[in-house]
Structure formats: C-alpha cells, structure tokens
C-alpha cells in the first residue's frame, strides 16, 4: 500500500518512536514536582522545549506545547484577540485558511467581533497588497497560513508580516504544513504547529508567542505551560514531537529536493495521461511533496475508493467526498474545478517506483469511473424555443450536472445557450471551471423555481 496522504498525517518518524518509548520510562512523573523523578521529567520537558524553539526560531520561553495543533490555533487566536481588545475587535484571515482558523474566526464573529476574509488568486495565494488594504485602525489580529494544506501553495508571509508590523498588528501564522521543512521567514508574532504533520505523535501542538505581543490566555487559569495550555503535559509525546522535528529538519533539504522531482513528475504527466484534468496550486511556490489535480466528469468519492483498492491512499477536497456535499472552501476560493479532486501528498521516504505505479494505475481508474457515471439514465433534456437548451439536473450531485452540460453543448449552435438547472452547490464552482477548460462562455447564474439556473453560451 502506498500512503500518499502525508498532508493529513505523516507516518511516525523512527526517531519519534524511539524517543516516545524511552521517555515512557523516564518522563512519566509530574515535571512540576521537586523530587528526583519530577526533576528528571522537568529536564526532558525543558530539553524538548529548547529543541522545538530552535526549530521554530523563537526563544524557549516564548513556546508552549498544546494538546493539538487545533488547540494551538484556537488558543492563539483567542488570546491575541483578548490581549488587544482595547485596540478593537477586527480580525483578518485569508479565505483558504485551515478550518481551525476559520472556526475560530466564526466564533469571534458570533461573539460580536468583525471579520475580513482576504481572497486568493487562482493558484491559492493571497496578494500582500490586498492584505495590507484590509488592515484597519481597529484590527486586533491577522492570520495567514505559511502554506496551504489542500493545494500546497506557499503564502507570502514575509511581505504580509511587513505590512502588519508597519500597522502595529500582530500576525499569527499557521505553520502546520511547512514547519517540518524549515523555519517560517518573516517578522511574525504568533505561530502554531502540529506534530503529526511532521512525523511526530498525534496529540501535540505548539504555540509560539513573541515577547511584546499582548496576549491574554482565555478560560480557567492554570499554572502549566505559562497558563496557555492547561492540564498535565503529555511528556512522552512532547519529547517525541521535538525529537522528530529536529530529525526531519536535518533531512529536509535533501528530502525536499527528491520529493519535488516526484511531484513535478506527477504535475507533468497526469495531464498528458488523463484527459480533462486541471492541476491546481502554484507551480513553483509550493510545498515539496504536495500536488493536487481535479478530473472532469469524475465522482471524487468513487475515484478515491478505486485508488484505495488499487493500493494508493490519497485524499480529496471534492464536494463528492464530503458529508456536507459542498465544495472545499479552498477550491471554491480559488475558483478552480472541484469535482474529481485528488490531493497527493508524499511522505518523506516515498520511492519513485510507487509514484510510477500510481501514474500507471490512474488513467484506467479515471476512465472506469467516468464510464460508470456515463451509464445512468440520461438527465431529462428539454429543447426550448430558439437555439437554447435546458438541462434539468435537479437532485443530481456532482459531477452529473457538468457531464450533462458536456453532452448537450454541441446540440446548440455557436451563440446558443444551455441553462443547467441544479441544486448542487458544487455546480456554482464546477460549471464556470468547465467553461474555462472548454473555451465556452459562462454567462452567469439566475434564480430558478427550484435550485439555480447556470447559463453557458457556446462560443466554439
């Protein structure tokens, strides 16, 4: 089985396993106690903090360990907002942040705060000028990920941090995806990470808060971890997390170069092997091991199941793999195709033979899924007066509305239109994306008696 979902969770690094087992024997006592076992545990905790701080690029007394990366984000956002409440209650995030950041932003807004989401371009990157323009006198905090978790695009953290610093606004960077590859450059104020993203054990996050940043921990007070992460420390996991972060950093340069070659191979060959594919994300400013592409006329959930049966573990941002049946917020913000979306994220140690085998299996797998989706009874098509068609795809989920559009676009003359009736949220993203890929004109949408009517004009 080839595991290609390291962006969700990287396999446990051998160093992490060794450190975890060793510290189970040595680090079980309370590090706050003064007796021998407590002092031994305290030494392990202090050493782990020093090692993690060195990798992050901060002082040891600026970094605390949390029960997860999500908790680090929530604590960081809430503490920074509370610490600067006298300045104002305006929060800025990008439209492609991890759900942990967006959920924290939603809670802030529900509590009466104001929120600005900065959009991204088609590669998934924010424009530093747009971020700078969003800053206000009452802005308490800005948040920006170092690299995107779904498409791998690296963000211009240095430029955004400069704008925030000039405005006197702290910048929180979610570095979960990139921290294993190197320090986050730029004059950031707060930073979060998650150990299971770099090969450490799950259940360990980190939060760094620079000296001078106004920060007020929220919730009941606790004497542990500077009051920012209450509860007894999971010392064996913390030691393993710090040890694995140091280990992957030592290997990062060579491994990044090797994985970039493999992902470039995928980026180049998938469009050549599989028709009607859009490779998304920035082609250059990207994480070493992440490549994401979307396949027209493919049910994402079925495709992932078929790839799993063929021996490949991949993930997707497609609405077809989601219990909510709504497109990924990242793909939606980018304005790219969401159907048949596949994210390949290679863990360190991935061998070229597995990538070659994936490229051999993928074309036939996509073709088989497309054949299955072409087999259902045709969607009802009603010819309207004049050179127009109405495709009734109500009640049909992605990618059926786009498939039926593709079937009938040739039935109208150049200049004629097709109205696709759909109540699937994904159609709002996928029909315009199909038009761009096919060289047709997306006219827009309008309300319908049921669902929404999406208008497409044939131009070629």
């Amino acid at each position: 089985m080839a595991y290609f979902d390291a962006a969700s969770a990287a396999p446990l690094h051998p160093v992490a396993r060794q450190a975890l087992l060793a510290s189970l024997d040595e680090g079980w006592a309370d590090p706050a106690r003064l007796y021998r076992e407590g002092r031994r545990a305290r030494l392990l905790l202090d050493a782990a903090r020093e090692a993690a701080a060195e990798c992050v690029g901060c002082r040891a007394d600026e970094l605390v360990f949390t029960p997860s990366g999500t908790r680090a984000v929530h604590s960081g956002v809430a503490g920074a907002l509370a610490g600067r409440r006298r300045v104002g209650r305006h929060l800025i995030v990008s439209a492609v942040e991890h759900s942990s950041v967006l959920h924290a932003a939603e809670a802030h807004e529900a509590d009466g705060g104001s929120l600005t989401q900065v959009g991204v371009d088609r590669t998934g990157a924010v424009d530093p000028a747009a971020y700078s323009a969003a800053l206000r006198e009452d802005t308490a905090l800005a948040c920006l990920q170092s690299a995107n978790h779904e498409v791998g695009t690296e963000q211009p953290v240095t430029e955004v941090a400069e704008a925030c610093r000039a405005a006197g606004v702290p910048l929180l960077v979610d570095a979960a995806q990139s921290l294993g590859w190197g320090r986050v450059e730029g004059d950031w104020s707060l930073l979060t990470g998650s150990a299971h993203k770099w090969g450490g054990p799950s259940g360990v996050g980190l939060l760094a808060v620079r000296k001078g940043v106004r920060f007020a921990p929220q919730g009941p007070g606790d004497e542990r971890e500077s009051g920012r992460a209450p509860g007894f420390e999971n010392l064996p996991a913390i030691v393993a997390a710090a040890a694995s972060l140091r280990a992957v950093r030592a290997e990062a340069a060579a491994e990044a170069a090797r994985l970039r070659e493999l992902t470039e191979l995928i980026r180049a060959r998938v469009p050549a092997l599989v028709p009607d594919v859009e490779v998304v994300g920035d082609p250059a400013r990207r994480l070493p091991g992440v490549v994401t592409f979307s396949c027209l006329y493919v049910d994402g959930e079925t495709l992932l199941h078929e790839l799993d049966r063929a021996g490949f573990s991949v993930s997707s941002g497609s609405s077809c793999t989601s219990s909510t049946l709504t497109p990924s917020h990242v793909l939606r913000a980018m304005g790219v195709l969401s159907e048949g979306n596949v994210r390949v994220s290679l863990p360190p140690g991935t061998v070229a033979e597995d990538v070659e085998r994936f490229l051999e299996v993928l074309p036939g797998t996509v073709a088989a899924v497309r054949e299955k989706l072409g087999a259902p009874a045709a969607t009802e098509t009603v010819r309207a007066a004049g050179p127009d068609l109405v495709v009734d795809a109500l009640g049909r989920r992605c990618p059926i509305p786009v498939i039926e559009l593709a079937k009938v676009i040739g039935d109208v003359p150049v200049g004629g239109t097709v109205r696709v009736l759909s109540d699937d949220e994904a159609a709002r993203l996928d029909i315009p994306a199909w038009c761009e890929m096919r060289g047709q004109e997306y006219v827009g949408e309008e309300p319908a008696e049921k669902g929404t009517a999406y208008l497409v004009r044939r131009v070629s």
Side-chain angles (χ1 to χ4, degrees), residues 42-77:
R42 186 72 199 185
L43 287 173
L44 289 173
L45 179 59
D46 290 345
R49 198 184 314 278
E50 289 280 356
E54 181 183 0
C55 292
V56 168
C58 66
R59 292 169 35 161
D61 60 355
E62 293 175 331
L63 185 144
V64 299
F65 294 104
T66 64
S68 68
T70 294
R71 180 64 65 84
V73 166
H74 291 174
S75 298
V77 171

Side-chain angles (χ1 to χ4, degrees), residues 192-241:
T192 62
S194 187
H196 72 278
K197 302 290 189 180
W198 65 67
S202 59
V204 179
L206 58 82
L207 167 64
V209 182
R210 297 280 199 194
K211 293 295 183 183
V213 175
R214 291 187 177 276
F215 192 90
Q218 299 301 285
D222 194 287
E223 68 277 5
R224 297 180 186 272
E225 293 299 294
S226 305
R228 295 173 184 173
F232 197 95
E233 297 93 343
N234 184 351
L235 187 53
I238 288 172
V239 170

Side-chain angles (χ1 to χ4, degrees), residues 125 145-148 152-156 178 260 282 284-288:
Q145 60 193 189
S146 56
N148 187 258
T153 297
E154 294 178 340
Q155 300 291 356
S178 72
R260 284 191 190 279
D282 194 290
R285 291 188 54 163
R286 56 185 304 101
L287 291 171

Side-chain angles (χ1 to χ4, degrees), residues 91-99 101-103 105 115-121 124-127 130-131 134 141-149 153 155-156 160 171-172 174 329-330 333:
L91 171 65
I92 303 174
V93 301
S94 84
V96 294
E97 294 298 314
H98 187 268
S99 58
V101 174
L102 297 183
H103 289 159
L115 175 67
T116 296
Q117 275 200 12
V118 179
V120 297
D121 61 20
V126 302
D127 179 358
Y131 230 95
L141 177 67
C143 300
L144 181 64
Q145 60 193 189
S146 56
N148 187 258
H149 50 289
T153 297
Q155 300 291 356
V160 171
L171 176 68
L172 183 150
D174 171 18
H329 72 278
V330 172

Side-chain angles (χ1 to χ4, degrees), residues 155-398:
Q155 300 291 356
V157 173
T158 299
E159 295 89 335
V160 171
E162 288 177 359
C164 290
R165 180 66 64 180
V169 174
L171 176 68
L172 183 150
V173 177
D174 171 18
Q177 289 297 336
S178 72
L179 203 53
W181 297 110
R183 290 183 179 180
V184 176
E185 300 299 327
D187 197 7
W188 49 265
S189 301
L190 302 96
L191 182 142
T192 62
S194 187
H196 72 278
K197 302 290 189 180
W198 65 67
S202 59
V204 179
L206 58 82
L207 167 64
V209 182
R210 297 280 199 194
K211 293 295 183 183
V213 175
R214 291 187 177 276
F215 192 90
Q218 299 301 285
D222 194 287
E223 68 277 5
R224 297 180 186 272
E225 293 299 294
S226 305
R228 295 173 184 173
F232 197 95
E233 297 93 343
N234 184 351
L235 187 53
I238 288 172
V239 170
S244 58
L245 180 56
R246 175 177 281 180
V248 298
R249 281 291 190 82
E251 307 160 352
E255 195 61 21
R258 200 178 65 83
L259 291 185
R260 284 191 190 279
E261 289 184 4
L262 295 178
T263 52
E264 285 304 316
L265 182 66
I266 297 173
R267 287 181 64 87
R269 289 182 57 185
V270 165
L273 294 170
V274 183
D276 300 317
V277 164
E278 181 179 15
V279 181
V280 300
D282 194 290
R285 291 188 54 163
R286 56 185 304 101
L287 291 171
V290 179
V291 57
T292 307
F293 55 89
S294 299
C295 307
L296 269 176
Y297 319 133
V298 168
D299 175 344
E301 184 173 11
T302 302
L303 179 57
L304 264 59
H305 283 316
E306 292 301 317
L307 288 172
D308 180 52
R309 291 176 59 185
F312 298 96
S313 301
V314 298
S315 65
S316 173
S318 171
S319 59
C320 309
T321 63
S322 166
S323 60
T324 62
L325 292 176
T326 57
S328 148
H329 72 278
V330 172
L331 301 178
R332 185 170 62 243
M334 293 168 62
V336 298
L337 184 70
S338 73
E339 66 187 53
N341 178 261
V342 175
R343 180 187 67 183
V344 175
S345 49
L346 307 178
T350 298
V351 296
E353 290 77 10
D354 283 343
V355 173
E356 290 288 355
R357 189 165 61 88
F358 175 76
L359 293 171
E360 291 174 3
V361 167
L362 183 67
T365 304
V366 173
V369 173
R370 284 173 172 166
E371 184 177 0
K372 288 180 182 178
L373 288 173
T379 302
E380 179 184 359
T381 303
V382 182
R383 183 170 292 279
D388 299 320
L389 283 177
V390 176
V391 172
D392 185 353
L394 293 169
R396 312 296 295 275
R397 296 301 177 189
C398 71

